[in-house]
Amino acid sequence: MGWTEKQLRRIHAQGLFRSLKTIEQKSGTRIVIFGKRLVNFCSNDYLGLANDPRVKKAGADAIQKWGAGAAASRLVSGNFSLHLELEQGLAGFKGAQAGLLFSSGYLANIGAIPALVDQDDQIFSDQMNHASLIDACRLSKAKIKIFPHSDLSALNKMLSGANRRARKLIVAEGIYSMDGDLAPLPEILELAEKFGAMVYLDEAHSTGVIGKKGKGALEYFGIKGFPQNLVLMGTLSKALAGQGGFICGPKSLRELLINRSRAFIFSTGLNPAAAASALKSLEIIEQEPELVARLQDHIAFARKCLKGIGLKIGSGPSPILPIVLRDPARTLKASQNLFRKGFFVQPIRPPSVPSGTSRLRITVCAAHSRKEIERLAETLSEVL
Ligand SMILES: *Cc1c(COP(=O)(O)O)cnc(C)c1O
């Protein structure tokens, strides 16, 4: 086992060692770790639905009705009407023709992209894309070009230099998971149209979060109708408070993935509890857009509080607020000090972010109180 220890020593020496923090108790935004009560400011349960009694009951009822697991892949005997109901619900929510579920957002990405493009094709991937997108692109064997983050003129140049006959897939995120900024979707779609490319947009953090009704990037940018050259991906595990991933687009896309996506074909159908919880969350979001409004109020308030203590924080609808401290050791220390004072904010260090950009990454949720947000800002001003 010498080789594992050697690698670990290197990780330690770089100040990049990670270990799991165990949550011993949990109730909404309040958690207990090492017996210490904390307010959680690094959850992706943006709308607080993971703790909603209606959502929890829907999950529990689904286990009673369908069993604890799907017990087979969808193409064998694990395809339940519950799955179809959720797929149709998600497609309707996103304004697409069809949807397809995967067992996680990670699997949706590594399942969909290699089913769409292969070694004869070209991928144009934003520099800040999530690890699951990077892995998906690699797995596809397509030629990968990485464009500087949201740099449209660089993307334009790459596309115009690309092989005309190759299929081209542009890969971006609705809200970038580490910087919390939005992809310029209308302009990306325009470029794609100009060069006959497809756009693959990961909406893990924008679903349930942006747009008046929480529908995501298309609603936020006021894009009418579902663009023909768009594939949308999302996860059930963030604002939708379940677990799993999904793809939305034309019917033919769904059929293609059912036939070609290895992560779909060779993995058990989504767990009934996860599917039913997400379906209930979706229903709640559609009936109670005020939940999205509350989240957006909190985001604006948090930005104001953090600016108030002199931090450089922009405006915008994203719940992800990075405080870049650059040095990994300093970031770790700040996180530990926050912990001591009752706030759980994880330090994000390489390889999750580029070296020299270590940060505290705060996520704001609808279930936080204004008081909690205010106190976080006060405490930050003491520990930074
Ligand atoms: C969280 C996340 C995923 C993965 O989703 P899971 O359902 O957690 O597997 C994919 N893409 C992005 C951008 C994410 O932030």
Side-chain angles (χ1 to χ4, degrees), residues 89-111:
L90 289 163
F93 187 63
K94 293 288 189 185
Q97 258 183 2
L100 189 69
L101 294 169
F102 287 79
S103 300
S104 75
Y106 186 97
L107 279 177
N109 282 337
I110 66 166

PDB file of all heavy atoms in Angstrom, residues 89-111:
ATOM      1  N   GLY A  89     -43.130  16.071 -16.360  1.00  0.00           N
ATOM      2  CA  GLY A  89     -43.181  17.271 -15.527  1.00  0.00           C
ATOM      3  C   GLY A  89     -41.965  18.164 -15.760  1.00  0.00           C
ATOM      4  O   GLY A  89     -42.085  19.380 -15.915  1.00  0.00           O
ATOM      5  N   LEU A  90     -40.796  17.545 -15.822  1.00  0.00           N
ATOM      6  CA  LEU A  90     -39.561  18.316 -16.026  1.00  0.00           C
ATOM      7  C   LEU A  90     -39.542  18.946 -17.416  1.00  0.00           C
ATOM      8  O   LEU A  90     -39.176  20.119 -17.572  1.00  0.00           O
ATOM      9  CB  LEU A  90     -38.333  17.410 -15.845  1.00  0.00           C
ATOM     10  CG  LEU A  90     -38.051  16.970 -14.407  1.00  0.00           C
ATOM     11  CD1 LEU A  90     -37.106  15.765 -14.377  1.00  0.00           C
ATOM     12  CD2 LEU A  90     -37.474  18.121 -13.579  1.00  0.00           C
ATOM     13  N   ALA A  91     -39.959  18.175 -18.412  1.00  0.00           N
ATOM     14  CA  ALA A  91     -39.992  18.706 -19.780  1.00  0.00           C
ATOM     15  C   ALA A  91     -40.949  19.892 -19.840  1.00  0.00           C
ATOM     16  O   ALA A  91     -40.621  20.939 -20.411  1.00  0.00           O
ATOM     17  CB  ALA A  91     -40.401  17.612 -20.759  1.00  0.00           C
ATOM     18  N   GLY A  92     -42.115  19.747 -19.225  1.00  0.00           N
ATOM     19  CA  GLY A  92     -43.092  20.834 -19.213  1.00  0.00           C
ATOM     20  C   GLY A  92     -42.522  22.069 -18.526  1.00  0.00           C
ATOM     21  O   GLY A  92     -42.650  23.195 -19.021  1.00  0.00           O
ATOM     22  N   PHE A  93     -41.863  21.875 -17.415  1.00  0.00           N
ATOM     23  CA  PHE A  93     -41.270  22.966 -16.645  1.00  0.00           C
ATOM     24  C   PHE A  93     -40.235  23.718 -17.478  1.00  0.00           C
ATOM     25  O   PHE A  93     -40.141  24.948 -17.439  1.00  0.00           O
ATOM     26  CB  PHE A  93     -40.609  22.361 -15.399  1.00  0.00           C
ATOM     27  CG  PHE A  93     -40.087  23.354 -14.397  1.00  0.00           C
ATOM     28  CD1 PHE A  93     -40.941  24.228 -13.751  1.00  0.00           C
ATOM     29  CD2 PHE A  93     -38.734  23.379 -14.076  1.00  0.00           C
ATOM     30  CE1 PHE A  93     -40.458  25.132 -12.805  1.00  0.00           C
ATOM     31  CE2 PHE A  93     -38.245  24.275 -13.134  1.00  0.00           C
ATOM     32  CZ  PHE A  93     -39.105  25.160 -12.506  1.00  0.00           C
ATOM     33  N   LYS A  94     -39.467  22.978 -18.252  1.00  0.00           N
ATOM     34  CA  LYS A  94     -38.395  23.573 -19.064  1.00  0.00           C
ATOM     35  C   LYS A  94     -38.882  23.985 -20.447  1.00  0.00           C
ATOM     36  O   LYS A  94     -38.102  24.514 -21.240  1.00  0.00           O
ATOM     37  CB  LYS A  94     -37.238  22.579 -19.213  1.00  0.00           C
ATOM     38  CG  LYS A  94     -36.490  22.290 -17.913  1.00  0.00           C
ATOM     39  CD  LYS A  94     -35.660  23.483 -17.491  1.00  0.00           C
ATOM     40  CE  LYS A  94     -34.735  23.190 -16.334  1.00  0.00           C
ATOM     41  NZ  LYS A  94     -34.041  24.406 -15.879  1.00  0.00           N
ATOM     42  N   GLY A  95     -40.136  23.683 -20.753  1.00  0.00           N
ATOM     43  CA  GLY A  95     -40.651  24.045 -22.076  1.00  0.00           C
ATOM     44  C   GLY A  95     -40.120  23.168 -23.193  1.00  0.00           C
ATOM     45  O   GLY A  95     -40.124  23.553 -24.363  1.00  0.00           O
ATOM     46  N   ALA A  96     -39.656  21.967 -22.830  1.00  0.00           N
ATOM     47  CA  ALA A  96     -39.109  21.051 -23.844  1.00  0.00           C
ATOM     48  C   ALA A  96     -40.153  19.993 -24.197  1.00  0.00           C
ATOM     49  O   ALA A  96     -41.133  19.815 -23.492  1.00  0.00           O
ATOM     50  CB  ALA A  96     -37.841  20.396 -23.316  1.00  0.00           C
ATOM     51  N   GLN A  97     -39.867  19.257 -25.278  1.00  0.00           N
ATOM     52  CA  GLN A  97     -40.782  18.185 -25.689  1.00  0.00           C
ATOM     53  C   GLN A  97     -40.684  16.983 -24.761  1.00  0.00           C
ATOM     54  O   GLN A  97     -41.683  16.343 -24.471  1.00  0.00           O
ATOM     55  CB  GLN A  97     -40.359  17.712 -27.086  1.00  0.00           C
ATOM     56  CG  GLN A  97     -41.219  18.232 -28.201  1.00  0.00           C
ATOM     57  CD  GLN A  97     -40.762  17.635 -29.538  1.00  0.00           C
ATOM     58  OE1 GLN A  97     -39.842  16.826 -29.622  1.00  0.00           O
ATOM     59  NE2 GLN A  97     -41.441  18.063 -30.580  1.00  0.00           N
ATOM     60  N   ALA A  98     -39.475  16.675 -24.335  1.00  0.00           N
ATOM     61  CA  ALA A  98     -39.284  15.427 -23.606  1.00  0.00           C
ATOM     62  C   ALA A  98     -38.144  15.544 -22.600  1.00  0.00           C
ATOM     63  O   ALA A  98     -37.299  16.428 -22.706  1.00  0.00           O
ATOM     64  CB  ALA A  98     -38.982  14.292 -24.590  1.00  0.00           C
ATOM     65  N   GLY A  99     -38.177  14.636 -21.629  1.00  0.00           N
ATOM     66  CA  GLY A  99     -37.110  14.592 -20.628  1.00  0.00           C
ATOM     67  C   GLY A  99     -36.691  13.155 -20.384  1.00  0.00           C
ATOM     68  O   GLY A  99     -37.438  12.223 -20.697  1.00  0.00           O
ATOM     69  N   LEU A 100     -35.498  12.982 -19.846  1.00  0.00           N
ATOM     70  CA  LEU A 100     -35.035  11.643 -19.483  1.00  0.00           C
ATOM     71  C   LEU A 100     -34.257  11.717 -18.177  1.00  0.00           C
ATOM     72  O   LEU A 100     -33.406  12.595 -18.000  1.00  0.00           O
ATOM     73  CB  LEU A 100     -34.138  11.061 -20.593  1.00  0.00           C
ATOM     74  CG  LEU A 100     -33.791   9.581 -20.405  1.00  0.00           C
ATOM     75  CD1 LEU A 100     -35.012   8.679 -20.591  1.00  0.00           C
ATOM     76  CD2 LEU A 100     -32.689   9.145 -21.384  1.00  0.00           C
ATOM     77  N   LEU A 101     -34.556  10.777 -17.281  1.00  0.00           N
ATOM     78  CA  LEU A 101     -33.914  10.771 -15.965  1.00  0.00           C
ATOM     79  C   LEU A 101     -32.641   9.933 -15.947  1.00  0.00           C
ATOM     80  O   LEU A 101     -32.534   8.936 -16.663  1.00  0.00           O
ATOM     81  CB  LEU A 101     -34.872  10.178 -14.921  1.00  0.00           C
ATOM     82  CG  LEU A 101     -36.135  10.975 -14.629  1.00  0.00           C
ATOM     83  CD1 LEU A 101     -37.101  10.130 -13.802  1.00  0.00           C
ATOM     84  CD2 LEU A 101     -35.769  12.265 -13.895  1.00  0.00           C
ATOM     85  N   PHE A 102     -31.725  10.346 -15.107  1.00  0.00           N
ATOM     86  CA  PHE A 102     -30.518   9.568 -14.816  1.00  0.00           C
ATOM     87  C   PHE A 102     -30.419   9.470 -13.291  1.00  0.00           C
ATOM     88  O   PHE A 102     -31.100  10.205 -12.577  1.00  0.00           O
ATOM     89  CB  PHE A 102     -29.283  10.276 -15.371  1.00  0.00           C
ATOM     90  CG  PHE A 102     -29.186  10.198 -16.880  1.00  0.00           C
ATOM     91  CD1 PHE A 102     -29.954  11.032 -17.683  1.00  0.00           C
ATOM     92  CD2 PHE A 102     -28.331   9.292 -17.493  1.00  0.00           C
ATOM     93  CE1 PHE A 102     -29.873  10.956 -19.065  1.00  0.00           C
ATOM     94  CE2 PHE A 102     -28.244   9.218 -18.879  1.00  0.00           C
ATOM     95  CZ  PHE A 102     -29.012  10.053 -19.668  1.00  0.00           C
ATOM     96  N   SER A 103     -29.538   8.606 -12.800  1.00  0.00           N
ATOM     97  CA  SER A 103     -29.472   8.409 -11.349  1.00  0.00           C
ATOM     98  C   SER A 103     -28.770   9.531 -10.612  1.00  0.00           C
ATOM     99  O   SER A 103     -28.837   9.628  -9.397  1.00  0.00           O
ATOM    100  CB  SER A 103     -28.780   7.093 -11.022  1.00  0.00           C
ATOM    101  OG  SER A 103     -29.522   6.052 -11.597  1.00  0.00           O
ATOM    102  N   SER A 104     -28.056  10.383 -11.333  1.00  0.00           N
ATOM    103  CA  SER A 104     -27.473  11.581 -10.712  1.00  0.00           C
ATOM    104  C   SER A 104     -27.184  12.583 -11.824  1.00  0.00           C
ATOM    105  O   SER A 104     -27.204  12.226 -13.017  1.00  0.00           O
ATOM    106  CB  SER A 104     -26.179  11.245  -9.956  1.00  0.00           C
ATOM    107  OG  SER A 104     -25.116  11.036 -10.862  1.00  0.00           O
ATOM    108  N   GLY A 105     -26.917  13.802 -11.429  1.00  0.00           N
ATOM    109  CA  GLY A 105     -26.544  14.817 -12.408  1.00  0.00           C
ATOM    110  C   GLY A 105     -25.223  14.454 -13.074  1.00  0.00           C
ATOM    111  O   GLY A 105     -25.042  14.639 -14.276  1.00  0.00           O
ATOM    112  N   TYR A 106     -24.319  13.922 -12.283  1.00  0.00           N
ATOM    113  CA  TYR A 106     -23.028  13.498 -12.813  1.00  0.00           C
ATOM    114  C   TYR A 106     -23.235  12.473 -13.927  1.00  0.00           C
ATOM    115  O   TYR A 106     -22.652  12.561 -15.010  1.00  0.00           O
ATOM    116  CB  TYR A 106     -22.200  12.910 -11.667  1.00  0.00           C
ATOM    117  CG  TYR A 106     -20.785  12.556 -12.042  1.00  0.00           C
ATOM    118  CD1 TYR A 106     -19.738  13.428 -11.789  1.00  0.00           C
ATOM    119  CD2 TYR A 106     -20.491  11.345 -12.651  1.00  0.00           C
ATOM    120  CE1 TYR A 106     -18.434  13.108 -12.149  1.00  0.00           C
ATOM    121  CE2 TYR A 106     -19.205  11.007 -13.016  1.00  0.00           C
ATOM    122  CZ  TYR A 106     -18.176  11.894 -12.762  1.00  0.00           C
ATOM    123  OH  TYR A 106     -16.892  11.568 -13.118  1.00  0.00           O
ATOM    124  N   LEU A 107     -24.103  11.506 -13.650  1.00  0.00           N
ATOM    125  CA  LEU A 107     -24.364  10.462 -14.647  1.00  0.00           C
ATOM    126  C   LEU A 107     -25.094  11.012 -15.865  1.00  0.00           C
ATOM    127  O   LEU A 107     -24.912  10.522 -16.974  1.00  0.00           O
ATOM    128  CB  LEU A 107     -25.183   9.326 -14.026  1.00  0.00           C
ATOM    129  CG  LEU A 107     -24.394   8.314 -13.213  1.00  0.00           C
ATOM    130  CD1 LEU A 107     -25.344   7.293 -12.594  1.00  0.00           C
ATOM    131  CD2 LEU A 107     -23.383   7.594 -14.097  1.00  0.00           C
ATOM    132  N   ALA A 108     -25.942  12.017 -15.666  1.00  0.00           N
ATOM    133  CA  ALA A 108     -26.644  12.615 -16.807  1.00  0.00           C
ATOM    134  C   ALA A 108     -25.607  13.200 -17.771  1.00  0.00           C
ATOM    135  O   ALA A 108     -25.680  12.990 -18.983  1.00  0.00           O
ATOM    136  CB  ALA A 108     -27.617  13.693 -16.343  1.00  0.00           C
ATOM    137  N   ASN A 109     -24.628  13.899 -17.221  1.00  0.00           N
ATOM    138  CA  ASN A 109     -23.596  14.482 -18.085  1.00  0.00           C
ATOM    139  C   ASN A 109     -22.741  13.414 -18.755  1.00  0.00           C
ATOM    140  O   ASN A 109     -22.564  13.443 -19.975  1.00  0.00           O
ATOM    141  CB  ASN A 109     -22.709  15.447 -17.281  1.00  0.00           C
ATOM    142  CG  ASN A 109     -23.393  16.782 -17.066  1.00  0.00           C
ATOM    143  OD1 ASN A 109     -24.299  17.164 -17.821  1.00  0.00           O
ATOM    144  ND2 ASN A 109     -22.975  17.512 -16.045  1.00  0.00           N
ATOM    145  N   ILE A 110     -22.231  12.470 -17.958  1.00  0.00           N
ATOM    146  CA  ILE A 110     -21.347  11.492 -18.608  1.00  0.00           C
ATOM    147  C   ILE A 110     -22.144  10.497 -19.446  1.00  0.00           C
ATOM    148  O   ILE A 110     -21.589   9.782 -20.269  1.00  0.00           O
ATOM    149  CB  ILE A 110     -20.382  10.766 -17.634  1.00  0.00           C
ATOM    150  CG1 ILE A 110     -21.119   9.872 -16.660  1.00  0.00           C
ATOM    151  CG2 ILE A 110     -19.488  11.740 -16.881  1.00  0.00           C
ATOM    152  CD1 ILE A 110     -20.149   8.935 -15.955  1.00  0.00           C
ATOM    153  N   GLY A 111     -23.466  10.493 -19.261  1.00  0.00           N
ATOM    154  CA  GLY A 111     -24.305   9.650 -20.110  1.00  0.00           C
ATOM    155  C   GLY A 111     -24.715  10.335 -21.396  1.00  0.00           C
ATOM    156  O   GLY A 111     -24.803   9.701 -22.444  1.00  0.00           O
TER     157      GLY A 111
END
